[in-house]
Amino acid sequence: MFPPASYEYPKTRYFAEYLNFESTENLFDVLDNQSKIIQSLYQNLSAEQWTYSYAPGKWTLQQLLGHLVDTERILSYRTLCISRGEQQSLPGFDENTYLENAHYENQNPDLILQQYLLTRQATTALFQSFSPEQWNTMGTANGNSVSVRAISWMIAGHEKHHLGIMKERYSM
């Protein structure tokens, strides 16, 4: 599945940054590769590394993984709704509020990683079920007109963004 055309998403900083992929990249390959990287990085962390934050007030690696899970679930839900013809505008979400209320810092790290892997598996299965028409379906999310394809690639772009932060600020 190729990246979306510029008319399929709003011209915001996040979409521009997150949808920065080569036209030859395949969504399924990107998602698969990312899940392998995340699994490899997280399965070998010590207890101290799970709770490491690069600065006061910044997320720990444990919270960051939880954030990836939450975001993927929300974006996948948006693709499901829009692909099925939902006409209502889908709500946005405040990632900080979600993280505060998830209490990932109190959860078993291995179970958070399991949630991540199972969420990615479910996301991939959902995406594999879409017809060409469904990939092109436009809907409204967070007040913006957006395609199923663009939201799907946002999952990969969001994770690519955070993998960059992990490498840069968490020395991973």
Side-chain angles (χ1 to χ4, degrees), residues 27 72-86 90 122-123 126-127 129-130 134-135 137 141 146-155:
L27 177 62
E72 184 160 334
R73 285 175 169 158
I74 290 164
L75 295 179
S76 291
Y77 173 73
R78 289 178 180 176
T79 66
L80 172 70
C81 293
I82 293 171
S83 74
R84 302 304 195 254
E86 182 61 66
L90 300 168
T123 296
L126 173 65
F127 291 174
S129 76
F130 291 157
Q134 287 171 310
W135 281 109
T137 304
V146 64
S147 73
V148 168
R149 181 183 7 266
I151 297 170
S152 301
W153 276 94
M154 280 294 289
I155 292 170

Side-chain angles (χ1 to χ4, degrees), residues 92-143:
F93 73 103
D94 180 330
E95 67 275 4
N96 292 308
T97 301
Y98 272 61
L99 198 65
E100 282 177 34
N101 291 305
H103 305 287
Y104 280 113
E105 67 278 3
N106 298 324
Q107 294 182 30
N108 179 320
D110 293 331
L111 293 178
I112 299 170
L113 181 56
Q114 184 179 14
Q115 285 186 63
Y116 168 84
L117 294 169
L118 291 171
T119 299
R120 178 55 53 91
Q121 186 178 11
T123 296
T124 301
L126 173 65
F127 291 174
Q128 289 172 338
S129 76
F130 291 157
S131 69
E133 294 79 23
Q134 287 171 310
W135 281 109
N136 295 321
T137 304
M138 298 292 292
T140 306
N142 199 22

